[in-house]
Amino acid sequence: MGRYVARRLLQMIPVFLGTTLLIFLMVNVLPGDPVAALWGDKPPDPAQMAQIKHDLGLDLPLWQQYLHYLGNLLQGDFGSTIAGNRPVIDEMTGAFPVSIRLALMAFVFEMVVGIFFGVLAGVKRGKMIDTGVTVFTLLVISVPVFVLGLLGQQIFGTQLGWVKPNVSESPTLGELLLPALVLGSLSLAYVARLTRTSIAENARADYMRTAIAKGLPQRRIVSVHLLRNSLIPVVTYLGTDIGSLMAGAVVTEGIFNVQGVGNLLFDALARREGTVVVGCVTVFVLIYLAANLLVDLLYAVLDPRIRYA
């Protein structure tokens, strides 16, 4: 197991370098000059522009800028913003905790409710409850996230008054509940459908017929034999969805005024703050890589037949 983990960690290095290099190049080839934008509608001063670019290293070739960024990154320095010369780590420190809490709440919601509905539909396949879960998940998948967010905000926030329509700058878990439900709704539908399909497929396996022939209780058959072997594709999806919940929360955070990474990325792209965008994406890449490694290790826990040499 230790050798497998070490090999996977070594494989992450070229993936990390490739993704960060790609994002770095994409951000830097966007049209417009972020330094000239500091003057707004006024004509910029060429001397001051040259000095600012020199101080930030923006006058160097792109490959040198990237190597300089990697060198600072190894020391925990994500660079500084162009406007205000504020450390990027300070910008992310204020935004990431909010988005992490929002993503974790959405993740728990989609995992628990999605697996529950999927198991229920898979065990009762062909019956009314299976049809109801299928129709419900299709409906959720068909409705865009921004429509669900606006409907939830209007109904539960404005009309019923159960929650605040917009969250505060330091939101509590109660304020993040509705945005988390909206954010995790689409993934919940996919988890439920994936679990239902896997349950229905494994229910016809030979080991299930053997367990039933032995006279094992229905609860033990479902929880130990059926569910455990059916969760491998679900765990794969959930592992990759952790990063998607954080990176894809731009619309949800915009609707509910959540001051998280989504709003930070949107503002950074509007201001052409490339260092902020690259810094946030770098953290996303690390989250994706860690989640994929954790998923691979969970395979051996769920299925004893899987062993890592």
Side-chain angles (χ1 to χ4, degrees), residues 95-111:
F96 263 95
V98 179
S99 291
I100 289 176
R101 282 189 293 166
L102 179 63
L104 287 178
M105 292 176 65
F107 180 78
V108 172
F109 168 66
E110 72 174 67
M111 180 179 64

Side-chain angles (χ1 to χ4, degrees), residues 51 76 84 104 130 156 167 178 198 219 223 238 265 288:
Q51 183 62 41
L104 287 178
D130 182 23
F156 299 105
V167 302
L178 182 58
S198 186
R219 179 177 299 178
S223 61
L238 289 173
L265 279 174
Y288 270 110

Side-chain angles (χ1 to χ4, degrees), residues 24-244:
F24 189 87
L25 294 177
M26 292 174 63
V27 170
N28 281 275
V29 298
L30 290 175
D33 191 338
V35 178
L38 296 176
W39 277 265
D41 297 332
K42 299 179 181 180
D45 185 4
Q48 292 184 358
M49 280 186 59
Q51 183 62 41
I52 294 175
K53 289 184 177 182
H54 178 73
D55 294 339
L56 297 175
L58 299 178
D59 55 347
L60 300 174
L62 283 180
W63 66 271
Q64 291 187 12
Q65 294 184 37
Y66 179 70
L67 293 179
H68 182 69
Y69 172 76
L70 284 181
N72 291 336
L73 188 62
L74 294 177
Q75 304 175 17
D77 183 10
F78 286 84
S80 302
T81 60
I82 297 176
N85 198 23
R86 184 181 179 187
V88 175
I89 189 68
D90 293 344
E91 299 276 346
M92 296 192 298
T93 301
F96 263 95
V98 179
S99 291
I100 289 176
R101 282 189 293 166
L102 179 63
L104 287 178
M105 292 176 65
F107 180 78
V108 172
F109 168 66
E110 72 174 67
M111 180 179 64
V112 175
V113 180
I115 293 178
F116 174 77
F117 281 151
V119 171
L120 203 60
V123 173
K124 304 291 184 180
R125 63 186 182 279
K127 297 184 180 180
M128 184 176 295
I129 190 169
D130 182 23
T131 304
V133 171
T134 303
V135 172
F136 170 74
T137 52
L138 280 174
L139 180 63
V140 174
I141 293 174
S142 303
V143 180
V145 175
F146 68 88
V147 175
L148 290 176
L150 292 175
L151 285 176
Q153 188 181 50
Q154 180 68 24
I155 296 174
F156 299 105
T158 304
Q159 296 182 1
L160 298 178
W162 292 356
V163 295
K164 293 182 179 179
N166 294 317
V167 302
S168 57
E169 292 186 2
S170 300
T172 62
L173 295 180
E175 292 178 332
L176 292 176
L177 180 59
L178 182 58
L181 296 181
V182 173
L183 179 61
S185 58
L186 181 62
S187 298
L188 178 148
Y190 285 120
V191 169
R193 294 176 67 85
L194 188 59
T195 306
R196 186 262 179 201
T197 303
S198 186
I199 288 286
E201 180 181 353
N202 285 282
R204 298 188 293 267
D206 292 337
Y207 68 87
M208 286 298 298
R209 286 193 289 267
T210 302
I212 295 174
K214 287 181 178 180
L216 296 178
Q218 180 72 13
R219 179 177 299 178
R220 179 175 176 81
I221 292 175
V222 174
S223 61
V224 177
H225 297 278
L226 181 58
L227 183 59
R228 185 174 180 178
N229 290 279
S230 302
L231 280 182
I232 290 182
V234 181
V235 168
T236 303
Y237 176 81
L238 289 173
T240 57
D241 195 51
I242 295 177
S244 300

Side-chain angles (χ1 to χ4, degrees), residues 241-253:
D241 195 51
I242 295 177
S244 300
L245 289 175
M246 294 190 61
V250 177
V251 176
T252 306
E253 290 184 1

